[in-house]
Amino acid sequence: MLLYFIDNDIIIELASYKLLGETMASFNLTYKDKAVRVLPSASSYINGHPDLRKKFTQGTLQLAKDRADSYEKIDKSLIDQSEGSEYQSLIAIENIDPGEAFLVAATEYEPKFYILTCYKKFLKALSKSN
């Protein structure tokens, strides 16, 4: 099965332009689709990050949170976070934050996947990593 690993910030950005549903539909995904994976912290990040409340409306954040709540959470126990792991290697790279590293590490045993993000710096850093 093809899986979609989605970063918190793209959920919020798409919700702010009312494009979240349309974007998921373009991938033939539905609301509550089991093929979509989000970070375990997605809801709490969207709901509790003070900078987000300054930048986005409450309606945008509520839509983003509702969507994040509807998708499957990445199982933390499946991610090797020990020293020397892929996750640890990734967070050591400039411009890759722990959430993005977690998304990449979650794909380790998945043969078919997409990672959806809105950060070019992360993508550039990832392309230069091993």
Side-chain angles (χ1 to χ4, degrees):
M1 170 168 62
L2 181 61
L3 296 178
Y4 297 81
F5 294 86
I6 304 179
D7 190 29
N8 295 341
D9 294 309
I10 198 164
I11 294 170
I12 299 165
E13 291 289 341
L14 289 171
S16 74
Y17 291 103
K18 310 274 189 279
L19 294 173
L20 188 55
E22 291 84 352
T23 301
M24 295 295 103
S26 74
F27 291 114
N28 294 317
L29 298 170
T30 61
Y31 189 62
K32 299 185 179 189
D33 200 301
K34 300 294 184 197
V36 179
R37 303 290 189 275
V38 297
L39 294 169
S41 61
S43 292
S44 60
Y45 172 79
I46 293 167
N47 204 37
H49 199 287
D51 290 342
L52 295 178
R53 283 185 247 134
K54 293 175 188 173
K55 185 176 178 183
F56 299 101
T57 68
Q58 184 58 39
T60 292
L61 295 176
Q62 189 60 52
L63 173 61
K65 183 184 177 309
D66 290 347
R67 282 299 173 104
D69 287 342
S70 74
Y71 295 131
E72 295 286 316
K73 308 295 181 273
I74 297 169
D75 184 349
K76 280 183 164 183
S77 69
L78 300 177
I79 310 298
D80 180 5
Q81 297 182 47
S82 64
E83 190 173 325
S85 67
E86 178 182 35
Y87 174 79
Q88 291 296 328
S89 298
L90 288 166
I91 62 171
I93 299 170
E94 184 178 356
N95 293 321
I96 297 181
D97 72 32
E100 294 159 344
F102 201 82
L103 285 176
V104 174
T107 68
E108 185 174 4
Y109 301 108
E110 300 299 337
K112 296 183 195 177
F113 62 87
Y114 286 112
I115 295 176
L116 283 74
T117 185
C118 58
Y119 286 122
K120 290 189 289 186
K121 288 181 180 182
F122 158 66
L123 295 172
K124 286 179 183 179
L126 184 62
S127 72
K128 293 177 183 175
S129 72
N130 291 329

